[in-house]
Amino acid sequence: METTLRGVGVSHGVAIGEVRHMGTAVLEPPAKQIPAEEAEREQGRARQAVDAVAADLMARGNLAGGEAQAVLEAQAMMAQDPELMADVERRIAVGSTAERAVYDAFAAYRELLANAGEYLAGRVADLDDVRNRIVARLLGVPMPGVPDSDEPYVLVARDLAPADTALLDPTLVLGFVTEEGGPTSHSAILARALGVPAVVALPGAGELAEGTVIAVDGSTGEIFVDPTEDKKAQLEASAAERKAALSASTGPGATADGHKVPLLANVGGPADVPAAVEAGAEGVGLFRTEFLFLDDSKKAPSEEKQVAAYRQVLEAFPEGRVVVRVLDAGADKPLDFLTPADEPNPALGVRGLRTLLDHPDVLRTQLSALAKAAEGLPVHLEVMAPMVADRADAKAFADACRAAGLRAKFGAMVEIPSAALRARSILQEVEFLSLGTNDLAQYTFAADRQVGAVSRLQDPWQPALLDLVALSAEAARAEGSSCGVCGEAAADPLLACVLTGLGVTSLSMGSASIPYVRATLAKYTLAQCERAAAAARATDSAEDAREAARAVLSGE
């Protein structure tokens, strides 16, 4: 009998197939004592296992490239954290086996993350994955991970670590469903980059029996268990219709009546550029520069290394617009040479622009590298600061850009509610705004963007979030400035229409989402988008906002 479950759809498309569960996590090693004379040997085993796992994660990152590479390199750094390793060796010295010492040291670190504030709780899946890989190597058992199968399947897991998501084979993994996670978790972002349909935050996902046929709708978040033949045909027809619409839609982003909405790509580095070009991106709306700095958490990359990497991206979009976000360090992206290790709540502490203003040499080098990378190129370079709170922040960033001789537009990311509320003030110092809806939702609702339990508050359809987008867009229009969206909200085709109706002037997203958004925008006029936006803002919940917009656009 067909039943329907609902989670959070995070990657478009439909997948129909049998359930296969993620490999079982490593069991807790037994707590047994070792003789003192074996301690040195066990410490050596632990170091070898840690180094091997870190090397494997780095290799997986190199294979995956792009955003996935940055995520996996961060995991490799986590595996080799010197404080964690020192704790492991201390536990071995007082009698623990290598595998038990690793297990207990990671458990203690888990507790530290929890006490540091909920913002870091979303990294627990990453931490657990590193622990499981090290313990598995020490025990000599298979690594937990994606199941072996010769037939295509739908992968079901409690959560997916980046190391697993990054190397999913789309020819075998038709889609995936997780019990944990949120719309802006690493797994969701990487799923969109892969173009794999995905639903997260589905209560009871682990109870789906192995081999059960399910249909996954990554757009609506619906899971149909034992779907009827009619339901399968309906979903497949919808998917075919969507595919045809995507193929027919080409060229710049625009509404049906010709209102232009440039569709840009979010990229993490040069490896993401080919997919953006293939998708028809009109430029880059968010160039995350963290990937360069994650290579070595002990020191900043040289100016020469930065120039080479930036120029690769800039050269790919001649005459196009490339918006670069300067280093966003802190919170879940700590760097040893920049970020404090003892902040009680890093998400509310020194991160983003605050970090750079505390280390002006790092900011100055990056801005100088961007200026040199753009020399002689016809690209329209724009540079923006993350985590701008007020006009003083905006002025400090603009002054730094001018001092570095940067010939580009200077902008501010709107990720803090204060920036949306005082957007006109900020625009007295900078020339454009870009809304990071992931963090803006997090700070508006006090809801960690990585925690599945609060994913309803991370839903970008929340009317309060739409109100802040509208405030920012209205301020930009009044000041004659542009106001784009580069958060994950832009990847939702229906929401893209609403954002356009709110006055947003460009949309930036993962490359795989661009065709969906382009095709959907082309179906509606600007007036329809404006009516849909007004209807969504008039509701009191994300679900009602979504349905209200859909009703307007479908003519109901």
Side-chain angles (χ1 to χ4, degrees):
M1 179 179 174
E2 179 183 308
T3 56
T4 304
L5 307 174
R6 184 180 287 276
V8 178
V10 296
S11 185
H12 304 297
V14 171
I16 302 174
E18 292 187 0
V19 167
R20 293 285 183 273
H21 284 272
M22 179 66 78
T24 306
V26 178
L27 297 176
E28 181 178 346
K32 63 180 184 182
Q33 292 291 106
I34 59 168
E37 60 269 21
E38 293 184 15
E40 188 173 345
R41 179 179 68 86
E42 289 293 289
Q43 288 172 339
R45 286 182 64 227
R47 284 192 293 271
Q48 288 175 358
V50 165
D51 290 343
V53 166
D56 178 61
L57 289 168
M58 292 291 284
R60 284 169 176 258
N62 290 332
L63 281 173
E67 293 183 31
Q69 184 171 5
V71 171
L72 292 172
E73 287 176 351
Q75 262 199 302
M77 287 163 51
M78 184 185 288
Q80 294 181 302
D81 182 276
E83 291 184 18
L84 257 176
M85 198 61 225
D87 190 21
V88 168
E89 293 187 344
R90 181 187 63 76
R91 292 171 187 273
I92 293 173
V94 294
S96 283
T97 60
E99 48 266 35
R100 185 69 206 192
V102 168
Y103 187 91
D104 288 341
F106 273 76
Y109 192 48
R110 235 174 173 266
E111 188 176 344
L112 282 175
L113 288 185
N115 291 336
E118 281 199 354
Y119 185 84
L120 295 179
R123 292 295 172 262
V124 166
D126 297 10
L127 186 69
D128 286 349
D129 181 59
V130 172
R131 176 204 65 200
N132 290 346
R133 290 173 185 277
I134 297 171
V135 172
R137 186 169 289 273
L138 287 165
L139 290 175
V141 300
M143 291 284 176
V146 178
D148 290 328
S149 176
D150 295 328
E151 297 297 324
Y153 59 90
V154 176
L155 181 63
V156 177
R158 181 182 173 191
D159 202 350
L160 284 171
D164 297 315
T165 317
L167 296 183
L168 288 179
D169 181 351
T171 63
L172 282 177
V173 181
L174 302 171
F176 67 74
V177 179
T178 66
E179 192 161 346
E180 300 293 329
T184 59
S185 64
H186 278 153
S187 291
I189 292 170
L190 294 176
R192 284 188 285 272
L194 286 167
V196 177
V199 172
V200 301
L202 179 74
E207 296 170 16
L208 292 167
E210 187 87 1
T212 301
V213 174
I214 64 173
V216 179
D217 190 328
S219 299
T220 66
E222 291 174 305
I223 305 293
F224 302 95
V225 183
D226 292 320
T228 63
E229 291 304 315
D230 284 347
K231 175 59 73 175
K232 289 181 187 178
Q234 177 190 334
L235 289 169
E236 287 169 347
S238 296
E241 183 182 335
R242 197 176 298 159
K243 186 174 181 180
L246 293 179
S247 300
S249 177
T250 58
T255 59
D257 55 338
H259 174 73
K260 294 186 177 182
V261 186
L263 302 181
L264 312 171
N266 292 346
V267 304
D272 290 338
V273 167
V277 172
E278 185 180 350
E282 297 168 60
V284 173
L286 173 62
F287 178 8
R288 303 180 181 93
T289 56
E290 288 76 46
F291 80 102
L292 273 172
F293 291 79
L294 290 171
D295 282 348
D296 184 352
S297 70
K298 305 296 182 187
K299 66 180 187 300
S302 68
E303 183 175 309
E304 292 72 21
K305 183 177 180 180
Q306 292 187 57
V307 170
Y310 301 152
R311 195 168 178 90
Q312 282 187 62
V313 176
L314 296 178
E315 286 176 336
F317 296 95
E319 305 292 342
R321 178 186 180 200
V322 176
V323 184
V324 179
R325 180 179 71 190
V326 294
L327 176 63
D328 184 13
D332 64 332
K333 292 170 281 194
L335 293 170
D336 292 347
F337 70 96
L338 281 183
T339 47
D342 56 353
E343 283 192 301
N345 190 338
L348 300 180
V350 181
R351 67 166 290 199
L353 180 61
R354 299 168 188 175
T355 301
L356 292 174
L357 293 179
D358 279 354
H359 297 83
D361 54 324
V362 175
L363 177 58
R364 184 166 51 249
T365 299
Q366 184 170 25
L367 294 174
S368 175
L370 285 166
K372 291 178 180 177
E375 281 179 6
L377 297 179
V379 68
H380 300 288
L381 176 63
E382 302 184 13
V383 183
M384 62 185 180
M387 302 301 293
V388 170
D390 57 16
R391 182 172 178 173
D393 278 351
K395 183 178 187 305
F397 178 65
D399 287 347
C401 289
R402 281 187 284 267
L406 191 61
R407 293 182 178 178
K409 283 188 175 181
F410 316 143
M413 289 198 71
V414 177
E415 300 166 283
I416 302 172
S418 63
L421 294 168
R422 301 289 294 173
R424 288 196 71 171
S425 172
I426 287 172
L427 284 167
Q428 305 310 303
E429 304 294 343
V430 294
E431 299 170 86
F432 69 94
L433 300 177
S434 183
L435 287 139
T437 51
N438 307 352
D439 271 323
L440 184 58
Q442 172 172 254
Y443 290 121
T444 299
F445 296 103
D448 189 318
R449 56 187 282 191
Q450 301 293 336
V451 177
V454 293
S455 62
R456 78 170 186 87
L457 296 171
Q458 263 293 327
D459 192 324
W461 281 92
Q462 284 285 355
L465 188 66
L466 299 181
D467 288 344
L468 292 175
V469 173
L471 276 175
S472 303
E474 288 165 8
R477 184 165 50 246
E479 295 296 329
S481 301
S482 62
C483 177
V485 168
C486 64
E488 292 301 315
D492 178 336
L494 184 63
L495 186 50
C497 295
V498 168
L499 295 171
T500 298
L502 291 174
V504 166
T505 56
S506 65
L507 299 166
S508 189
M509 64 209 75
S511 299
S513 297
I514 290 175
Y516 290 92
V517 172
R518 182 192 292 119
T520 304
L521 267 178
K523 291 163 60 176
Y524 306 108
T525 65
L526 177 59
Q528 286 176 298
C529 293
E530 289 172 342
R531 287 197 295 273
R537 288 183 68 191
T539 65
D540 293 312
S541 73
E543 187 173 341
D544 288 347
R546 187 181 288 107
E547 290 308 313
R550 183 177 285 119
V552 169
L553 294 176
S554 63
E556 293 177 12

